[in-house]
Amino acid sequence: MTLTPKRAQDSMIQMTELVLPNDTNTFGNLMGGRLMYWMDIAAALATMKHCSAPVVTASVDNISFETPIKLGNVVHIEAKVSRAFSTSMEVHLRVWGEDPVQQYRYKSNEAFMTFVALDPNGKSRLVPQIIPDTEEEKQLYEGAMRRRQLRLILSGKMKPQDAEELRALFI
Ligand SMILES: CC(C)(COP(=O)(O)OP(=O)(O)OC[C@H]1O[C@@H](n2cnc3c(N)ncnc32)[C@H](O)[C@@H]1OP(=O)(O)O)[C@@H](O)C(=O)NCCC(=O)NCCS
């Protein structure tokens, strides 16, 4: 069965949250765990929008928190599917903080997450392929195969000798 491919842009989700006291650590900054929770939801919504099916988080690539987001600031999360494989989809996420009074926006972090679409029996199901349009979407699409191989090797789901694009790093 071949599903009609869909444009990357059409999967985009933009989420906005206000950092409240219950979201912060003792330094008055947004807690990493709360941010990851919001990122997980934004990424799940982007993948569900792309494949029109329920999804589960399969993996989260490393996340580096570059700039803390302060209490009372706004969090902006943008999530977009960068590539779809057979049943899994890689999502690219970008996070910014914003001081709503000074109206100043700053980049907080970037990440990749992978989601798998499930059928009503909880089995993985095929998803539509992605059509990248912009230069950035094309670059993310090209890099997605290498990132997929790396995360599958690290999770023990792929042997380094089967990773065509990354073999040289491991063997
Ligand atoms: C993710 C999950 C559905 C994969 O199931 P599985 O039996 O390993 O399925 P498969 O081996 O058939 O793999 C299905 C897809 O998942 C991908 N996948 C599996 N493990 C992965 C990982 N660690 N990182 C990225 N992709 C992964 C496979 O590459 C495959 O993608 P493809 O069809 O596009 O090639 C299953 O492990 C699961 O349900 N995990 C729990 C999910 C969950 O509850 N998440 C919430 C946090 S607890």
Side-chain angles (χ1 to χ4, degrees):
M1 181 182 56
T2 316
L3 299 166
T4 309
K6 292 166 78 175
R7 298 172 65 198
Q9 188 64 27
D10 292 339
S11 68
M12 191 158 87
I13 288 289
Q14 284 170 318
M15 181 191 273
T16 305
E17 296 281 348
L18 175 64
V19 180
L20 295 170
N22 216 23
D23 302 321
T24 61
N25 59 24
T26 50
F27 301 100
N29 297 325
L30 173 62
M31 279 186 293
R34 179 76 82 220
L35 179 57
M36 288 190 278
Y37 169 76
W38 289 332
M39 289 167 75
D40 192 29
I41 292 175
L45 291 173
T47 51
M48 282 195 277
K49 200 173 170 196
H50 175 69
C51 71
S52 308
V55 297
V56 285
T57 316
S59 67
V60 176
D61 291 9
N62 64 305
I63 303 180
S64 307
F65 298 103
E66 291 163 34
T67 314
I69 302 177
K70 297 262 166 229
L71 172 65
N73 278 196
V74 177
V75 180
H76 297 278
I77 302 175
E78 187 185 284
K80 188 159 65 165
V81 178
S82 44
R83 186 157 179 170
F85 298 97
S86 296
T87 66
S88 65
M89 296 152 282
E90 184 195 74
V91 191
H92 180 230
L93 294 117
R94 279 202 191 93
V95 182
W96 297 267
E98 183 190 356
D99 181 325
V101 177
Q102 303 296 328
Q103 304 210 344
Y104 162 71
R105 205 185 243 237
Y106 50 94
K107 192 175 163 213
S108 172
N109 73 301
E110 241 176 285
F112 291 98
M113 295 184 177
T114 303
F115 284 71
V116 173
L118 300 181
D119 69 14
N121 299 315
K123 301 274 177 224
S124 49
R125 51 167 278 176
L126 293 178
V127 294
Q129 294 301 294
I130 278 285
I131 305 168
D133 287 317
T134 66
E135 266 317 302
E136 187 187 52
E137 285 170 4
K138 286 176 188 167
Q139 277 180 14
L140 288 167
Y141 182 95
E142 289 303 322
M145 185 58 88
R146 289 190 292 278
R147 289 188 295 274
R148 168 186 159 93
Q149 292 183 353
L150 185 57
R151 63 177 76 96
L152 290 178
I153 290 172
L154 294 177
S155 64
K157 301 249 164 124
M158 181 182 266
K159 294 194 187 102
Q161 57 267 33
D162 296 333
E164 284 178 21
E165 299 207 17
L166 293 181
R167 244 190 317 239
L169 284 179
F170 293 92
I171 300 168

